[in-house]
Each structure stands twice: as C-alpha cells, then as structure tokens.
C-alpha cells in the first residue's frame, strides 16, 4: 500500500522554494521562463517571505538544477531549467485539469525488476512511482488508472528507468469488491485526511473573499498558497474512479473548493503580478 504524509503538513508554513516553483509555473513561463531576483523578492514579500529567504531558496533550486542564471532586463535573474519546465508542463494537467477515471476504463500495471547491483535505480524507480501516485499491488507490481499510461511512460523514459519496467493494461474482473481492492492499493484513510485538511485550511479563505473584495496583492498571496498546497494532492490521488472510493468522498469537496478559489483569485492575482513585472 502506498502511504501518504500526515495531514498536519497541509497546515505547516509553505517553504519558500515551493512558493518560488509555483510562481515560476504560474507566471514565468509566459514571459520566456525567466524572472529577476528583485521581482521574486518583491512578489514573495507579499507572502511574508523576506529577501534573504528568497535568495537562499533560489540558490538551492539552482544547485538542484531546477533554475539557471539569466539576466532579466540587465538585472540578476534565473530561468527555468529544461527539467523543471518539463515537470511543470506535465503538472498543468494534473493540477488544473485532472481527469477522474471511470470504473470501466481499466488499470495500468507497472511491473519492475531491478538487479541488486542497481539498487540506487530501484530506490529511484520506487520514488518516481510514488511521486506519480501509483498504488502498490505487490512488491514489484504497481497500479494506476489506465489514462495515466502516457504520463507514466514519459516519466520513466525521462528518468532513464524504462528498461527496468514492463507496462500492461488490465481490468479488474474477479476477487474482492473494487472498493476493498483499491483500499489495499492506496491508503485512502490518510488521503482523506489530506483532503480534509486542505478543505479546513482553504474554506475560510473562500468565505473571506465571498464576504468582501480583497486587494490584488492579497489575491496573489492566497492564490499562490492555494496552488502550492493543492499541487501535491492530485499526485497522491491520481484520479481514482469514484466507484472505487468511499461514499461521500471528501476529495470531491476539495476539488470543488480549489476550482472556486481559482476562479475567484486567478484574475486579480495576475493583475498584481503585472504591476510588479510590468511597472
């Protein structure tokens, strides 16, 4: 069974590096992929992150090969690396247009065998499958909704791990009821806890915006935080069919809440970004 982080993580302060990745994903790509450090400092200041923390986080992202130095208007700045640009492009569909499978669409099975001499690749492969949200059927056999075939295949190719795997399409035709089976592949109780924590954190934000219009800078802060906190959830739940999930699945409410806040905040947040980047 694939395990899920504790719900407390949803309420924890968001690390600056994760906020920076969200800012690049939301706003830098439409501007050639680069932002100046001074613009990042100003934007993140609205989220309560001081300049030194921004610069330290950018340096860490650079060391990890996710950002690359580039002058922006003559000022020091950074652009997305090809690796991070690829990950962000893939993430767009998961985060903003996630598809929920139907029970009759079948499953993708990923079987792998990694020799003892390549144990580092075994760890890398397992980490990749967990990051993509696959469930565990048995040691060496992982499962996902069938519509993720292209995404999983591309991720394996990009990581150079395809040679250790075999991919199959399958249907669940016999055995325990589907809900019991899926609950043995994914930790649905922990996943529900993550969704519930997201709802508890974000519902007050929606209520505040319904009660009164806020400033574009506040919309930016709330929207970037929303996307950053939400970003992991569509990977923990890779669009599992509702028929395979518990009744009154809290993930539905969480997804609806994300959509409502996105519709309300994205426009004024972009206005604020324009005032900072296009004064």
């Amino acid at each position: 069974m694939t395990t899920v982080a504790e719900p407390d993580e949803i309420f924890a302060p968001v690390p600056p590096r994760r906020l920076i990745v969200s800012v690049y994903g939301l706003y830098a790509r439409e501007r050639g992929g680069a932002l100046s450090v001074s613009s990042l400092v100003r934007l993140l200041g609205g989220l309560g992150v001081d300049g030194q923390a921004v610069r330290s986080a950018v340096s860490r992202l650079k060391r990890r090969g996710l950002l690359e130095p580039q002058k922006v208007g003559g000022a020091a700045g950074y652009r997305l690396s090809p690796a991070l640009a690829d990950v962000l492009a893939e993430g767009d569909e998961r985060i903003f247009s996630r598809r929920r499978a139907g029970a009759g669409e079948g499953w993708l099975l990923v079987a792998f065998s990694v020799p003892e001499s390549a144990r580092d690749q075994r760890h890398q492969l397992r980490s990749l499958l967990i990051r993509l949200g696959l469930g565990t059927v048995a040691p060496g056999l992982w499962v996902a909704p069938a519509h993720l075939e292209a995404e999983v295949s591309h991720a394996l190719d990009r990581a150079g791990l395809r040679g250790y795997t075999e991919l199959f399409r399958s249907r669940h035709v016999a055995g325990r009821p589907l809900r019991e089976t899926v609950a043995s592949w994914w930790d649905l109780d922990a996943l529900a806890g993550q969704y519930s924590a997201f709802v508890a954190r974000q519902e007050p934000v929606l209520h505040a915006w319904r009660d009164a219009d806020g400033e574009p800078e506040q919309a930016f802060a709330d929207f970037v935080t929303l996307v950053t906190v939400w970003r992991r959830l569509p990977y923990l739940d890779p669009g599992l069919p509702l028929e395979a999930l518990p009744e009154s699945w809290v993930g539905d409410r969480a997804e609806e809440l994300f959509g409502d806040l996105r519709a309300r905040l994205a426009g004024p947040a972009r206005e604020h970004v324009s005032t900072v980047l296009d004064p």
Side-chain angles (χ1 to χ4, degrees):
M1 177 188 294
T2 301
T3 57
V4 177
E6 291 297 320
D8 288 350
E9 184 179 324
I10 293 285
F11 290 100
V14 182
R17 61 178 175 76
R18 291 182 59 202
L19 295 171
I20 290 170
V21 169
S22 291
V23 168
Y24 269 90
L26 290 167
Y27 306 111
R29 286 180 291 172
E30 61 196 37
R31 299 168 179 273
L35 295 172
S36 69
V37 175
S38 60
S39 294
L40 277 175
V41 168
R42 185 173 171 191
L43 287 171
L44 272 291
L47 286 148
V49 182
D50 64 42
Q52 184 56 48
V54 172
R55 292 182 177 87
S56 296
V58 166
S59 294
R60 288 194 295 272
L61 290 167
K62 176 189 173 185
R63 288 196 297 271
R64 293 174 58 189
L66 300 177
L67 294 178
E68 299 174 348
Q70 177 177 304
K71 292 284 188 181
V72 180
Y78 289 86
R79 68 174 181 269
L80 290 166
S81 71
L84 181 54
D86 196 15
V87 169
L88 289 172
E90 276 188 5
D92 287 344
E93 186 169 352
R94 281 267 190 137
I95 295 165
F96 300 115
S97 305
R98 180 176 58 164
R99 177 184 166 194
R100 192 166 288 285
E105 294 181 28
W107 300 90
L108 173 71
L109 292 178
V110 180
F112 69 83
S113 178
V114 183
E116 186 63 24
S117 59
R119 72 175 63 174
D120 287 346
Q121 284 86 346
R122 181 189 301 142
H123 174 74
Q124 185 182 357
L125 178 54
R126 287 174 57 87
S127 297
L128 175 62
L129 296 177
I130 290 171
R131 185 184 69 78
L132 293 173
L134 274 69
T136 310
V137 179
L141 184 62
W142 295 62
V143 63
H147 69 263
L148 293 182
E149 178 184 344
E151 181 181 350
V152 172
S153 181
H154 179 62
L156 290 169
D157 286 338
R158 185 176 60 222
L161 298 169
R162 183 63 176 269
Y164 297 113
T165 65
E166 299 286 348
L167 275 60
F168 303 90
R169 289 285 194 109
S170 70
R171 291 189 302 118
H172 183 253
V173 297
R176 293 173 295 174
L178 183 59
R179 280 181 173 160
E180 289 184 23
T181 300
V182 168
S184 71
W185 295 342
W186 281 271
D187 188 345
L188 297 182
D189 288 341
L191 182 56
Q194 289 274 317
Y195 275 132
S196 296
F198 176 84
V199 170
R201 175 169 183 164
Q202 296 299 328
E203 273 194 333
V205 179
L206 181 60
H207 292 323
W209 280 91
R210 281 175 174 165
D211 291 342
D213 292 333
E215 295 296 321
E217 184 173 10
Q218 185 60 51
F220 168 79
D222 288 343
F223 185 54
V224 171
T225 301
L226 171 76
V227 171
T228 307
V229 173
W230 173 256
R231 198 167 65 209
R232 292 182 176 182
L233 287 167
Y235 283 91
L236 298 175
D237 170 5
L240 297 170
L242 283 178
E243 300 91 333
L245 295 169
E247 296 281 355
S248 303
W249 179 240
V250 66
D252 274 357
R253 172 60 191 138
E255 196 156 357
E256 179 185 12
L257 177 60
F258 175 77
D260 287 348
L261 278 166
R262 181 190 178 197
R264 188 174 293 268
L265 299 176
R270 188 171 296 280
E271 289 177 25
H272 173 66
V273 172
S274 293
T275 64
V276 173
L277 301 183
D278 306 312

